[in-house]
Amino acid sequence: MLFTSYGFIAFLIALFALYYIIPKRFQWLLLLAANILFYACAGWQGLCFMAATVIVSWAATNLMGASLKKQKAYLATPEAKALPREERKAYKKAREKDRKRIFVAALIADIGILAALKYTNFLINNVNSLFSAGIGNVDWVLPLGISFYTFQTVSYVIDVYWEKVEPEKNILRVALFTSFFPLLIQGPISRFGDLSETLFAEHKADFKQISFGIQRILWGYFKKLVIADRLLVAVTALCGDPAAYSGAYVFIGAVLYAAELYADFTGGIDITIGIAQVLGISVKENFLRPYFSRNIAEYWRRWHISMGTWFKDYIFYPLSVAPWLLRLSKSARQKISDGFGRKLSVYISTIVTWFLTGLWHGAAWNFVVWGLLNAFFILLAEEIKPLSQRFRARHEGLTAGFGYRVFETLRTFLLMCSLRILDCYRDVAVSFKAFWSVFTTNNWAEAFSGELLNLGLGVGDYIVAGLGVALMFTVSCVQEKCGSVRELAWKKPAVSYVLFGALAIVILVFGAYGVGYDSTQFIYNQF
């Protein structure tokens, strides 16, 4: 069920109405039923895999919780207190080992389902290429949103194991957390401790929150239908024929793709957060105006925040303090150099984290290379940081100015555009060849002599998309300086209604659907 389909709009209207009509104690059960219906529209087979993830996670967390509860109860008894200290430690260690076995088994099962469905054919294709084997691909259907709901549920299992959250005893609540339909398409990847506070609560109709939610949904549809789906036509044409469109066209395509991806992804997140807000459920922000970033590290603190924090909390930090890596770092300090040894654990953790981040985005080498290049530039920035700091200190008047900030922002934007060429062409060799052609092929005059009008978009389309991007940029500037636009508009309700009423009309009039267009699924749905 596409977020941009009429069926989904009807589904939402019915859900919103029923949600506030039925007794409040049944609201979370209605949401669970809505999740099942939504997911069933994408294929009943996917429900079986999701159900397996839910059952495994629920059983494992409750077994770990029961083990911990039993341990604490026993250690509180007079009999246990009378034991020698070493015996008490041995008992705790034995119980911890039991919980670790359960924990590892749950991770293998949950991640194993994702790995088998998403990466089996990738593995087979690489084996065939390396050994000239003739292994056939497996005809498996990838369930909707499996990367998102798997990571969300895995974080719950880890948090229970780390004793950050209590295990949920009701399996239907675990199922609701796993399957909450607005999050399935492209996140955010929410944590149980955050989402459960409002997901399972009873909600009264709050006119302001419902209005804000609907406004956020409209803003998301504006980004998706007016900007992203319109630019998609030109981006598809440019990237679909790299032999014909090289040089200037690669640069133009990368910039258009940056605008398309941002409008598509943030538009989907706006719809997700808006739906949740109408339902009274709090979902954390996933973007904080990333194109205003002055360096790549800041960019990744602002872009797809839930993914970045997931990999940081559950991969980078645990790996960086892993005993084997600390031993390796210590050995490097002794045998190579102190400075290198100190940095080694950070280097390895960063590279592994970004390798997995790339692989999470897709079972293809272009995503892996994309992830490793991000790691390279992040580490490079850290290495030249002392040099950068000395430059800033020596030229404080220059680096403190607005112009230098614009330079840093533009530099970061162009770097990210360059890396995304790997996403545009989906082939490592083709991507590098296309990137190099920007500097070796001089066809700028040709590109701007009317050739861009042969990509499926007319002058009017470029004007509409350009004005849409300008509006997005203006709103981002206001948010950066003054906070929420909805809060500012709400101070004068009449202005608020006029603004968002006009936005609805713009979507209806200028949305990229109908003859010549195909309303598509969100880009991040493929992940």
Side-chain angles (χ1 to χ4, degrees), residues 331-345:
S331 177
R333 289 172 64 184
Q334 295 170 346
K335 296 178 180 179
I336 302 176
S337 73
D338 186 68
F340 177 77
R342 288 179 183 276
K343 295 176 180 178
L344 185 60
S345 64

PDB file of all heavy atoms in Angstrom, residues 331-345:
ATOM      1  N   SER A 331      49.036  -3.747  21.849  1.00  0.00           N
ATOM      2  CA  SER A 331      50.174  -4.338  21.152  1.00  0.00           C
ATOM      3  C   SER A 331      50.739  -3.372  20.110  1.00  0.00           C
ATOM      4  O   SER A 331      51.960  -3.247  19.955  1.00  0.00           O
ATOM      5  CB  SER A 331      49.744  -5.648  20.483  1.00  0.00           C
ATOM      6  OG  SER A 331      50.788  -6.210  19.737  1.00  0.00           O
ATOM      7  N   ALA A 332      49.857  -2.668  19.397  1.00  0.00           N
ATOM      8  CA  ALA A 332      50.291  -1.705  18.383  1.00  0.00           C
ATOM      9  C   ALA A 332      51.039  -0.538  19.018  1.00  0.00           C
ATOM     10  O   ALA A 332      52.008  -0.019  18.435  1.00  0.00           O
ATOM     11  CB  ALA A 332      49.093  -1.197  17.592  1.00  0.00           C
ATOM     12  N   ARG A 333      50.613  -0.122  20.190  1.00  0.00           N
ATOM     13  CA  ARG A 333      51.297   0.962  20.896  1.00  0.00           C
ATOM     14  C   ARG A 333      52.726   0.568  21.247  1.00  0.00           C
ATOM     15  O   ARG A 333      53.648   1.380  21.203  1.00  0.00           O
ATOM     16  CB  ARG A 333      50.525   1.339  22.156  1.00  0.00           C
ATOM     17  CG  ARG A 333      49.219   2.058  21.890  1.00  0.00           C
ATOM     18  CD  ARG A 333      48.408   2.226  23.161  1.00  0.00           C
ATOM     19  NE  ARG A 333      49.090   3.064  24.130  1.00  0.00           N
ATOM     20  CZ  ARG A 333      48.633   3.303  25.360  1.00  0.00           C
ATOM     21  NH1 ARG A 333      47.501   2.735  25.760  1.00  0.00           N
ATOM     22  NH2 ARG A 333      49.301   4.088  26.178  1.00  0.00           N
ATOM     23  N   GLN A 334      52.896  -0.700  21.604  1.00  0.00           N
ATOM     24  CA  GLN A 334      54.209  -1.182  22.013  1.00  0.00           C
ATOM     25  C   GLN A 334      55.124  -1.457  20.825  1.00  0.00           C
ATOM     26  O   GLN A 334      56.321  -1.176  20.874  1.00  0.00           O
ATOM     27  CB  GLN A 334      54.062  -2.457  22.857  1.00  0.00           C
ATOM     28  CG  GLN A 334      53.346  -2.226  24.192  1.00  0.00           C
ATOM     29  CD  GLN A 334      53.002  -3.527  24.890  1.00  0.00           C
ATOM     30  OE1 GLN A 334      53.058  -4.599  24.289  1.00  0.00           O
ATOM     31  NE2 GLN A 334      52.627  -3.436  26.168  1.00  0.00           N
ATOM     32  N   LYS A 335      54.552  -2.015  19.741  1.00  0.00           N
ATOM     33  CA  LYS A 335      55.384  -2.479  18.634  1.00  0.00           C
ATOM     34  C   LYS A 335      55.505  -1.485  17.482  1.00  0.00           C
ATOM     35  O   LYS A 335      56.464  -1.558  16.704  1.00  0.00           O
ATOM     36  CB  LYS A 335      54.822  -3.797  18.106  1.00  0.00           C
ATOM     37  CG  LYS A 335      54.870  -4.931  19.134  1.00  0.00           C
ATOM     38  CD  LYS A 335      54.263  -6.208  18.573  1.00  0.00           C
ATOM     39  CE  LYS A 335      54.313  -7.333  19.601  1.00  0.00           C
ATOM     40  NZ  LYS A 335      53.706  -8.582  19.078  1.00  0.00           N
ATOM     41  N   ILE A 336      54.518  -0.594  17.337  1.00  0.00           N
ATOM     42  CA  ILE A 336      54.558   0.353  16.212  1.00  0.00           C
ATOM     43  C   ILE A 336      54.794   1.769  16.729  1.00  0.00           C
ATOM     44  O   ILE A 336      55.873   2.320  16.591  1.00  0.00           O
ATOM     45  CB  ILE A 336      53.265   0.260  15.369  1.00  0.00           C
ATOM     46  CG1 ILE A 336      53.083  -1.177  14.841  1.00  0.00           C
ATOM     47  CG2 ILE A 336      53.314   1.255  14.210  1.00  0.00           C
ATOM     48  CD1 ILE A 336      51.809  -1.408  14.074  1.00  0.00           C
ATOM     49  N   SER A 337      53.736   2.352  17.315  1.00  0.00           N
ATOM     50  CA  SER A 337      53.878   3.680  17.934  1.00  0.00           C
ATOM     51  C   SER A 337      52.707   3.922  18.855  1.00  0.00           C
ATOM     52  O   SER A 337      51.626   3.352  18.669  1.00  0.00           O
ATOM     53  CB  SER A 337      53.946   4.784  16.875  1.00  0.00           C
ATOM     54  OG  SER A 337      52.674   4.995  16.284  1.00  0.00           O
ATOM     55  N   ASP A 338      52.938   4.784  19.833  1.00  0.00           N
ATOM     56  CA  ASP A 338      51.885   5.068  20.802  1.00  0.00           C
ATOM     57  C   ASP A 338      50.692   5.736  20.133  1.00  0.00           C
ATOM     58  O   ASP A 338      49.540   5.395  20.409  1.00  0.00           O
ATOM     59  CB  ASP A 338      52.429   5.966  21.912  1.00  0.00           C
ATOM     60  CG  ASP A 338      51.415   6.178  23.026  1.00  0.00           C
ATOM     61  OD1 ASP A 338      51.107   5.209  23.742  1.00  0.00           O
ATOM     62  OD2 ASP A 338      50.923   7.318  23.157  1.00  0.00           O
ATOM     63  N   GLY A 339      50.960   6.682  19.251  1.00  0.00           N
ATOM     64  CA  GLY A 339      49.869   7.399  18.585  1.00  0.00           C
ATOM     65  C   GLY A 339      49.025   6.489  17.723  1.00  0.00           C
ATOM     66  O   GLY A 339      47.792   6.546  17.759  1.00  0.00           O
ATOM     67  N   PHE A 340      49.683   5.638  16.936  1.00  0.00           N
ATOM     68  CA  PHE A 340      48.949   4.716  16.076  1.00  0.00           C
ATOM     69  C   PHE A 340      48.124   3.734  16.901  1.00  0.00           C
ATOM     70  O   PHE A 340      46.967   3.447  16.576  1.00  0.00           O
ATOM     71  CB  PHE A 340      49.925   3.950  15.176  1.00  0.00           C
ATOM     72  CG  PHE A 340      49.270   2.918  14.298  1.00  0.00           C
ATOM     73  CD1 PHE A 340      48.584   3.297  13.157  1.00  0.00           C
ATOM     74  CD2 PHE A 340      49.319   1.573  14.632  1.00  0.00           C
ATOM     75  CE1 PHE A 340      47.956   2.356  12.353  1.00  0.00           C
ATOM     76  CE2 PHE A 340      48.700   0.620  13.835  1.00  0.00           C
ATOM     77  CZ  PHE A 340      48.021   1.012  12.686  1.00  0.00           C
ATOM     78  N   GLY A 341      48.716   3.213  17.965  1.00  0.00           N
ATOM     79  CA  GLY A 341      48.002   2.255  18.812  1.00  0.00           C
ATOM     80  C   GLY A 341      46.762   2.846  19.454  1.00  0.00           C
ATOM     81  O   GLY A 341      45.736   2.182  19.576  1.00  0.00           O
ATOM     82  N   ARG A 342      46.866   4.111  19.864  1.00  0.00           N
ATOM     83  CA  ARG A 342      45.714   4.774  20.493  1.00  0.00           C
ATOM     84  C   ARG A 342      44.557   4.941  19.507  1.00  0.00           C
ATOM     85  O   ARG A 342      43.391   4.885  19.890  1.00  0.00           O
ATOM     86  CB  ARG A 342      46.127   6.140  21.033  1.00  0.00           C
ATOM     87  CG  ARG A 342      47.001   6.087  22.272  1.00  0.00           C
ATOM     88  CD  ARG A 342      47.387   7.482  22.727  1.00  0.00           C
ATOM     89  NE  ARG A 342      48.273   7.439  23.875  1.00  0.00           N
ATOM     90  CZ  ARG A 342      47.863   7.326  25.141  1.00  0.00           C
ATOM     91  NH1 ARG A 342      46.568   7.248  25.399  1.00  0.00           N
ATOM     92  NH2 ARG A 342      48.728   7.310  26.121  1.00  0.00           N
ATOM     93  N   LYS A 343      44.897   5.160  18.241  1.00  0.00           N
ATOM     94  CA  LYS A 343      43.861   5.406  17.241  1.00  0.00           C
ATOM     95  C   LYS A 343      43.329   4.127  16.597  1.00  0.00           C
ATOM     96  O   LYS A 343      42.282   4.152  15.940  1.00  0.00           O
ATOM     97  CB  LYS A 343      44.412   6.312  16.138  1.00  0.00           C
ATOM     98  CG  LYS A 343      44.771   7.710  16.602  1.00  0.00           C
ATOM     99  CD  LYS A 343      45.393   8.501  15.461  1.00  0.00           C
ATOM    100  CE  LYS A 343      45.772   9.907  15.894  1.00  0.00           C
ATOM    101  NZ  LYS A 343      46.415  10.663  14.796  1.00  0.00           N
ATOM    102  N   LEU A 344      44.059   3.023  16.767  1.00  0.00           N
ATOM    103  CA  LEU A 344      43.735   1.812  16.021  1.00  0.00           C
ATOM    104  C   LEU A 344      42.318   1.318  16.282  1.00  0.00           C
ATOM    105  O   LEU A 344      41.602   0.946  15.340  1.00  0.00           O
ATOM    106  CB  LEU A 344      44.739   0.706  16.365  1.00  0.00           C
ATOM    107  CG  LEU A 344      44.590  -0.589  15.557  1.00  0.00           C
ATOM    108  CD1 LEU A 344      44.754  -0.320  14.065  1.00  0.00           C
ATOM    109  CD2 LEU A 344      45.605  -1.630  16.041  1.00  0.00           C
ATOM    110  N   SER A 345      41.881   1.305  17.544  1.00  0.00           N
ATOM    111  CA  SER A 345      40.541   0.793  17.861  1.00  0.00           C
ATOM    112  C   SER A 345      39.462   1.668  17.227  1.00  0.00           C
ATOM    113  O   SER A 345      38.445   1.164  16.742  1.00  0.00           O
ATOM    114  CB  SER A 345      40.331   0.710  19.369  1.00  0.00           C
ATOM    115  OG  SER A 345      40.372   1.989  19.967  1.00  0.00           O
TER     116      SER A 345
END
